[in-house]
Amino acid sequence: MSIEQDSVNTIKKLALEMICRAESGHCGSALDCAPILYAIYREANVATKDQLYLNRDRIVLSNGHACASLYAILHLFNFGLTIDDLKDFRVLGSFTPGHPELVTNGVDCATGLLGQGCANAVGFALAESILRAKYNRPRFKIFDHYTYLVCGDGDLMEGVSFESFALAGKWGLNKLITIYNKNDMTIDGSLNMVSSEDVKQRFVSQGFNVLECDNSVAKLIPAIEQAKTSDKPTIIISHTKIAQGTMYENSPLAHGHCFNSRDVVRLCKLWQLDTEPFKVKLDVYKHFRELENSANKKYDKWCALLKKYKLKYHKAYNDLFSDKQKTILKALNVKFNKLPLSTMTANHQLLQAYAHADTNFVGGCADLAKSTLCKIDLGGQYSVKKQDAKNIAFGVRESAMGGIMNGLVLHGGLKGFVSTFLTFSDYMRPGIRMSAIMNVPLLYIFTHDSISLGQDGTTHQPVEQLESLRIMPSVMVFRPADANETKFGYMWYAKNQVPTILCLSKVEIEPNKHVTYKDFARGAYIYSREKDTTLNAILVATGSEIDVALRAKKLLEYKGYSVRLVSIPCRELFERQDEDYKSTVLPTDFPTKVSVEAGVTRGWDSLTGRFGKSVGVNTFGESGTTAELYDLFGLTAVNIANITIDLINKNKTY
C-alpha cells in the first residue's frame, strides 16, 4: 500500500477512534474528508514554526462536523495536537472541540453553522487579493497564497453560501479553491429528497471554474493543480458515497456516531493498520515530517523575502505592520462644524478620519451606502480591475457580508466595517455571533436605529433588534446620543478591538459639549445634573431619545421638580463598572427612575428597578411620520414628564 493511502487511512482510523472514544461525533463526513484534507495539506503553504504567518494558505473546513479528520491531520502534521488531545475529542476544555474553533492550533476559523465557513473563505481570498494588489512589488510577492475551502451538501443548501459564492465569482477570486464533498446524503436521508439543482451549472452561472473527480488522492491532487491555473475561483466537485468502503456506505446512519470499536478494528485490518487505538505507523509519521519540513522551507524563503522587502520598501512595510492606534485616536479627535447633526452624519465624518489614519481599514454596505452614509470618500470601489480599493459593494447580501468580512479581518493585515439598517441586522445574526465567538474586531455600523425610520412601516422599523443584540455575549453594543458620543464610540473601538456595534440615528440634535471619553467609556454618565440636592427623579435615555428626555427634564424643572438625566450609550459597559460608580450615577435605593428608548422595554428594569418605569415601543411600529409615531408611542416630552410626575407621587411613600 502506498504511503499516500496509508496516510489517508490513518486519518480515517484516528477520526473514527476519536468519535468512538467520545461516543459522539460525525463519522461519515470525517471519513469522506480524509482524502480531501490530505490532498490539500500535501502541498499546503503552511508553517508549524509560525502557525499565523501572514502568507500561509488558509484552510477552511466549512462542514465543521467533519473536524475529527482535521484534528487527525493537524496531529500528524505536527501542529501541536498530541495523541492525548485526540483522545480528549469533545471533552470539556480540550483543544479538540466538537466543531473547529480558534483554540486549536492550525484552525483558521471557527465553523459549525453550515455555510458560514464558505463566507469566511471568500473573505480570506478577498483579503489576499486586496493585500496582494496593495503591497506586492516586482519580484516581491509577499502575498501569494491560496484559500482552500472544504464544504458539503449542507453548506450549499444554506443561503449564505450562495450569496458568498456569487460575490467570489463576480470578484474573480481565482485563489479560492473549493472542494465540495458531494456524497448526496443528509441526516434525514438522500439529498434528492430536498434538492434537484444542478450544482455544476449553478457554479458556472456564478462565474466559477468547475472541475469534477472522484474522492481519491490520485484524482484530487491533479484537480487542485489544475485549479491553480484558472483565472476564476474553482470548485472541485468530489463525488463519493458517504462512509465509502465501510459497512455503513451510502447510509444516512453514517452521518452520526454509528461505528463501534469492533467496526474500527475490522476496518483497521482491512486498511492494514495497527488495531491498537491511536497507534500510528512510524512510516506515516516520517512521511508527515517530510511534508512539514517542506512547508517550513517555504516559510523560511518567505521570511528572507520579507526581510529584503523591508529594506527596499520600508514605507510599505511599516504601513502593513505598524501599530496605528495612536494615529487613529489623533485623527478621530475631529471637530464637528455644522450643528446640530445626526449620529449618522457624524459617523460619516468619523469613518473618513479612521480610514485616513488606518490605510488598511476597508468595508462596505449591503446596497445602502447612500442611505447609511457609510462609504470611504476617495477610497474607490473594489473590483477585478481595482483590487486595492477600500469600499466593497456587497449588493443586497447582508448574510454574506457579515461572514465575508469576518474572514477578511481574520486573515490579518486588514481591519473592517460593515453597514446596513438596524432592522436588517437580523440577516446578519449568524455572522455577528461568529464574530463574538472568534473575537473578530469587526465594526458593525447599523443606522436608522428606531421607529424614526417612519413611513417605511413596521418591516423597516427596528423594535426588538437593539435589545436582542445586547444579550449576545462578547459583543459591545453602543447607541450614542450625539456626535461626541459617536466619536468616543470610534475611539473605544480603536482602543479595544473587539466586535463592536454602533446603532445610529438620522435625528439631528445638539451634541453635549461636556461629555468626556472617560464618561463614555464607563457606559453611562450624568448627561445633565439636577438643579438642587433634593432629587425627585432620574431620567435615563439612549440615542436620539436623549433629546426628548432633555426636553422632558426641562418641563419637569419648570414645574418645580429636580431631575437628573443619565445617558447610557452602552449598557454592557455600565454593568461592568464598580458599585460605587454605578450608585453615583443611578443609585439603586432611589425609586423614581424612568428609562426612555424607542425599542422594547425589556431589560431596562435591571436599571430602573421595581419602582421605576420604562417608556418604549413594545409592539411593532406603524407607517407614519417620525412625529406621528413618537406621539403614538408616547415618546414625547409631555408624556414622559407626566409619567415621571405620576411615578414621583406614587413613590412618595417609599
Side-chain angles (χ1 to χ4, degrees):
M1 191 172 293
S2 69
I3 190 62
E4 290 83 5
Q5 193 58 54
D6 257 357
S7 297
V8 170
N9 289 342
T10 299
I11 295 168
K12 292 180 179 181
K13 172 185 186 291
L14 291 173
L16 289 181
E17 287 169 345
M18 291 162 65
I19 294 167
C20 285
R21 183 181 177 88
E23 297 183 348
S24 174
H26 301 79
C27 297
S29 295
L31 290 168
D32 295 348
C33 287
I36 294 171
L37 289 169
Y38 175 81
I40 291 171
Y41 275 91
R42 182 183 171 89
E43 300 295 332
N45 177 18
V46 293
T48 56
K49 60 171 67 176
D50 181 3
Q51 296 174 17
L52 298 178
Y53 104 91
L54 206 50
N55 192 45
R56 73 187 186 280
D57 290 339
R58 296 335 190 254
I59 301 169
V60 180
L61 183 68
S62 189
N63 51 337
H65 52 279
C67 61
S69 282
L70 177 62
Y71 297 150
I73 201 167
L74 290 176
H75 162 72
L76 294 170
F77 212 99
N78 203 27
F79 271 92
L81 284 184
T82 66
I83 285 292
D84 284 340
D85 289 324
L86 301 189
K87 290 179 179 179
D88 284 343
F89 180 55
R90 292 188 165 225
V91 171
L92 179 66
S94 75
F95 293 111
T96 48
H99 286 77
E101 295 183 27
L102 295 183
V103 297
T104 309
N105 288 337
V107 170
D108 286 316
C109 63
T111 54
L113 292 174
L114 289 177
Q116 283 294 315
C118 299
N120 295 163
V122 173
F124 283 134
L126 176 61
E128 193 274 345
S129 165
I130 293 171
L131 292 166
R132 173 163 32 100
K134 185 172 182 181
Y135 289 105
N136 281 6
R137 301 290 186 269
R139 300 188 300 279
F140 286 90
K141 292 184 178 181
I142 61 170
F143 289 102
D144 184 23
H145 60 266
Y146 290 90
T147 298
Y148 294 98
L149 167 65
V150 182
C151 67
D153 295 303
D155 292 289
L156 298 193
M157 283 190 275
E158 292 288 357
V160 65
S161 70
F162 190 95
E163 293 180 18
S164 302
F165 288 134
L167 287 165
K170 175 63 179 175
W171 293 334
L173 298 177
N174 66 311
K175 294 209 145 188
L176 173 65
I177 299 175
T178 299
I179 304 179
Y180 165 32
N181 171 41
K182 183 172 174 54
N183 60 32
D184 294 329
M185 191 62 62
T186 70
I187 294 175
D188 287 343
S190 176
L191 181 66
N192 63 23
M193 285 196 314
V194 293
S195 180
S196 59
E197 71 175 333
D198 187 325
V199 174
K200 179 178 179 179
Q201 290 306 312
R202 165 183 161 180
F203 278 90
V204 168
S205 72
Q206 289 186 308
F208 272 64
N209 170 41
V210 182
L211 304 174
E212 296 186 80
C213 66
D214 63 34
N215 196 38
S216 67
V217 171
K219 296 295 177 63
L220 286 165
I221 289 176
I224 291 171
E225 291 305 311
Q226 186 179 344
K228 291 179 179 179
T229 66
S230 176
D231 60 354
K232 300 176 180 180
T234 295
I235 183 167
I236 300 168
I237 303 175
S238 177
H239 295 276
T240 188
K241 296 177 181 178
I242 194 168
Q244 191 166 14
T246 75
M247 54 287 294
Y248 293 101
E249 179 179 306
N250 212 32
S251 167
L253 293 175
H255 180 83
H257 170 228
C258 57
F259 292 83
N260 58 43
S261 57
R262 293 186 300 276
D263 293 333
V264 178
V265 167
R266 286 197 293 270
L267 287 170
C268 285
K269 290 178 179 178
L270 177 66
W271 295 332
Q272 300 176 32
L273 298 177
D274 199 313
T275 58
E276 181 182 340
F278 297 98
K279 186 75 178 236
V280 177
K281 285 184 178 180
L282 291 178
D283 283 352
V284 172
Y285 274 132
K286 182 181 177 181
H287 175 59
F288 274 94
R289 290 298 71 73
E290 292 170 354
L291 297 181
E292 178 194 4
N293 291 335
S294 176
N296 281 334
K297 285 178 182 178
K298 294 176 186 176
Y299 168 73
D300 292 337
K301 187 176 180 181
W302 180 81
C303 287
L305 180 69
L306 188 64
K307 190 174 181 180
K308 293 178 182 178
Y309 181 92
K310 181 179 179 181
L311 294 173
K312 189 173 180 65
Y313 301 105
H314 187 67
K315 185 177 179 181
Y317 179 92
N318 282 344
D319 185 60
L320 176 60
F321 290 105
S322 63
D323 183 355
K324 300 183 176 73
Q325 186 185 108
K326 289 184 179 178
T327 304
I328 292 167
L329 292 173
K330 184 178 179 181
L332 289 173
N333 195 23
V334 301
K335 292 184 178 180
F336 303 104
N337 298 320
K338 186 180 178 182
L339 301 175
L341 77 167
S342 68
T343 53
M344 274 176 52
T345 304
N347 174 79
H348 178 75
Q349 188 173 341
L350 292 161
L351 182 64
Q352 310 315 310
Y354 198 111
H356 180 74
D358 185 352
T359 58
N360 289 328
F361 187 65
V362 303
C365 299
D367 198 47
L368 285 171
K370 291 179 181 178
S371 297
T372 67
L373 307 181
C374 285
K375 186 174 183 180
I376 299 172
D377 298 341
L378 306 178
Q381 182 169 302
Y382 180 88
S383 68
V384 174
K385 295 182 179 179
K386 189 169 179 56
Q387 296 179 356
D388 59 348
K390 290 189 172 188
N391 294 296
I392 303 166
F394 290 96
V396 188
R397 299 185 183 96
E398 294 90 352
S399 186
M401 177 172 67
I404 288 171
M405 289 301 292
N406 274 339
L408 179 140
V409 176
L410 273 174
H411 178 281
L414 299 172
K415 296 291 173 59
F417 73 92
V418 295
S419 182
T420 187
F421 289 2
L422 178 56
T423 192
F424 302 151
S425 67
D426 286 343
Y427 285 116
M428 300 183 66
R429 288 192 69 86
I432 299 170
R433 188 169 187 267
M434 295 310 295
S435 288
I437 288 172
M438 296 186 284
N439 195 34
V440 180
L442 189 57
L443 180 63
Y444 292 88
I445 305 171
F446 295 144
T447 67
H448 298 68
D449 68 346
S450 75
I451 57 171
S452 63
L453 194 62
Q455 289 165 306
D456 276 329
T458 59
T459 59
H460 281 53
Q461 292 170 25
V463 173
E464 77 281 11
Q465 281 79 9
L466 191 59
E467 190 62 27
S468 69
L469 291 169
R470 283 178 177 141
I471 65 174
M472 188 180 292
S474 303
V475 177
M476 299 309 297
V477 180
F478 293 92
R479 189 170 184 240
D482 56 30
N484 285 333
E485 285 194 7
T486 308
K487 174 170 65 177
F488 294 142
Y490 266 86
M491 289 182 173
W492 192 94
Y493 166 72
K495 287 184 175 186
N496 292 276
Q497 289 298 292
V498 298
T500 302
I501 296 174
L502 294 178
C503 298
L504 307 174
S505 170
K506 64 178 185 177
V507 177
E508 295 183 346
I509 65 173
E510 288 283 346
N512 182 356
K513 297 178 182 179
H514 305 294
V515 60
T516 66
Y517 176 78
K518 185 178 180 181
D519 293 331
F520 178 90
R522 286 172 164 168
Y525 65 96
I526 299 174
Y527 189 92
S528 178
R529 293 189 176 276
E530 55 272 25
K531 292 296 184 182
D532 55 55
T533 56
T534 304
L535 183 63
N536 298 122
I538 299 176
L539 300 181
V540 177
T542 74
S544 54
E545 282 81 77
I546 203 80
D547 188 50
V548 178
L550 186 60
R551 284 187 273 121
K553 178 181 186 292
K554 290 176 180 178
L555 279 176
L556 289 164
E557 288 173 342
Y558 178 77
K559 294 183 178 183
Y561 295 99
S562 180
V563 180
R564 175 186 300 178
L565 174 57
V566 173
S567 175
I568 305 192
C570 182
R571 232 169 53 196
E572 298 93 323
L573 275 181
F574 183 59
E575 289 165 357
R576 294 181 184 179
Q577 304 307 305
D578 59 60
E579 292 303 321
D580 286 344
Y581 179 76
K582 287 196 283 189
S583 63
T584 300
V585 176
L586 282 175
T588 54
D589 59 352
F590 184 80
T592 309
K593 290 176 280 195
V594 178
S595 70
V596 184
E597 185 173 71
V600 294
T601 58
R602 182 174 296 179
W604 279 106
D605 56 350
S606 64
L607 296 179
T608 58
R610 53 188 235 155
F611 298 106
K613 194 170 181 65
S614 295
V615 180
V617 182
N618 287 312
T619 62
F620 293 111
E622 294 285 349
S623 183
T625 65
T626 298
E628 289 172 332
L629 293 174
Y630 271 58
D631 184 61
L632 175 66
F633 291 105
L635 292 163
T636 64
V638 171
N639 185 57
I640 294 165
N642 289 337
I643 287 173
T644 305
I645 292 170
D646 288 344
L647 199 60
I648 291 170
N649 293 329
K650 182 179 178 181
N651 289 335
K652 278 181 179 178
T653 57
Y654 173 77

